[in-house]
Amino acid sequence: MNTVFKHIERKIYAQTFLQQVDVRLEYNPLQREWVQEEDVISFFNNHFQIEANFSTLLEDRVFLKDNEQQLAFLFSSDAAMLSVGHLNYRSFYDSVLPNVYHIKDFVFNLWKQHEVTAAIRKVNVFSMDNNINLDEDAFHSLLYETVFSSEFLQVAPEVTTSKIDGNQVVVQERSIEDILFRTYIIKRKNGVYSLFLETIKSKKVVASTLEETLEGMNVTLYDAFHWSVGANIIAIMDKEEEK
C-alpha cells in the first residue's frame, strides 16, 4: 500500500501537461526456434498490413508510426512497445488500453511468453520563458520550484548527465514508492525552457492479468503525478477545464 502518494479520484482535464504515454513489455531475447517464420509474417500482416519477418526482428526492429493519430508501435528482439501522444489522448482506459492488444498478442500468443516485465512511462512537459533574465542555473532552480511540490524537492536526487534529443542535459532521478521520477530541462531554439517529468513504473505480469495490472499501475502514476507537482500546476489544469 502506498505510504507517500495520496489517492486522487480520477478526473479528465480538458488540458494537461501530459505529452506521451508508453507501455512496454520486456522479455528474454527472442530465439529463432520459438516460432515459425510464417507465423511472424502472418502477425504483422494481420495486425498492421505490412511485410516483416523474423530476421527483421533479430537484426533490427519493426517500428510503425501514425503521425496523424500520434500512435506508434515498436517490436524488437527483447521488447514490444506502444506509444500514444497527447493529440488524441483522453484517458489511459480510452486511449491506451484498446491498443495494448497488439503488443499483448505479439508477446504472449506469438512468442508464448509466460511472465514479462510491463512498464508504463508518462512524459509531462512544462515550458517557461526566462523573461526576468536570470542566469541559466538560477532559472533552472526557479523552474523546478515553480513546477514541483516541496515534498518532491525534499527527496535528494541522483544526478547524471545524458544526451537527449541531441541535447546534453542534467538528469535528476528520484525513486519513490517503486516509481522512477526523471526530470531534466531542455532549452528550445526560441529561448523557451522545457522541464520534462518522466514517471516510470514497472511490474511483472502474466497475460491473464495484463490489462488489470496496467490499470492499477496507471492509478498509482496518476496519484504520484499529483503528489510531485505544486498546487499551482493543478490549479492551472482546473482553470483550463473551466474555459
Side-chain angles (χ1 to χ4, degrees), residues 21-239:
V21 179
D22 301 333
V23 173
R24 183 180 178 92
L25 303 181
E26 298 180 349
Y27 40 83
N28 293 325
L30 301 179
Q31 304 296 321
R32 190 172 286 275
E33 61 269 20
W34 288 2
V35 69
Q36 298 296 314
E37 178 80 13
E38 55 266 28
D39 293 333
V40 178
I41 295 172
S42 178
F43 171 84
F44 285 106
N45 183 55
N46 291 337
H47 281 264
F48 303 105
Q49 296 75 55
I50 65 165
E51 293 184 8
N53 55 36
F54 203 111
S55 296
T56 306
L57 292 169
L58 289 182
E59 299 167 10
D60 189 13
R61 61 180 186 171
V62 175
F63 180 69
L64 306 163
K65 187 174 184 180
D66 183 334
N67 289 320
E68 184 176 338
Q69 296 296 318
Q70 289 195 332
L71 181 65
F73 294 91
L74 183 146
F75 300 92
S76 70
S77 62
D78 59 3
M81 188 176 77
L82 157 70
S83 182
V84 179
H86 73 281
L87 186 63
N88 295 307
Y89 187 90
R90 179 167 174 79
S91 70
F92 190 84
Y93 182 84
D94 294 324
S95 306
V96 177
L97 283 183
N99 291 296
V100 165
Y101 164 73
H102 300 288
I103 59 175
K104 179 181 182 180
D105 194 36
F106 179 84
V107 173
F108 292 107
N109 294 332
L110 182 63
W111 299 123
K112 301 176 177 61
Q113 296 295 288
H114 173 63
E115 184 181 68
V116 301
T117 299
I120 300 177
R121 171 179 172 262
K122 292 190 168 186
V123 182
N124 285 269
V125 182
F126 311 87
S127 296
M128 185 184 296
D129 287 309
N130 183 6
N131 51 20
I132 52 178
N133 297 319
L134 289 176
D135 67 70
E136 196 156 277
D137 287 342
F139 187 71
H140 281 200
S141 296
L142 176 62
L143 190 48
Y144 266 81
E145 291 168 4
T146 300
V147 170
F148 294 115
S149 66
S150 58
E151 292 81 5
F152 176 81
L153 294 175
Q154 285 170 6
V155 179
E158 179 179 335
V159 181
T160 59
T161 59
S162 182
K163 194 167 186 177
I164 300 175
D165 293 335
N167 300 278
Q168 196 71 23
V169 299
V170 175
V171 178
Q172 297 187 14
E173 293 189 348
R174 294 169 170 84
S175 294
I176 306 164
E177 296 284 358
D178 296 326
I179 292 179
L180 175 63
F181 296 80
R182 297 181 76 240
T183 57
Y184 51 90
I185 296 173
I186 294 178
K187 184 179 180 181
R188 304 299 189 181
K189 291 182 180 179
N190 60 2
V192 172
Y193 290 77
S194 292
L195 170 56
F196 286 73
L197 166 63
E198 298 181 10
T199 50
I200 305 166
K201 182 171 178 60
S202 302
K203 194 170 185 178
K204 294 288 187 181
V205 65
V206 296
S208 61
T209 60
L210 176 62
E211 289 86 354
E212 179 183 357
T213 301
L214 290 174
E215 285 193 83
M217 292 165 64
N218 180 65
V219 168
T220 303
L221 287 171
Y222 184 86
D223 294 343
F225 170 82
H226 283 74
W227 171 84
S228 68
V229 300
N232 58 308
I233 297 298
I234 303 302
I236 290 172
M237 294 160 62
D238 277 331
K239 285 181 180 178

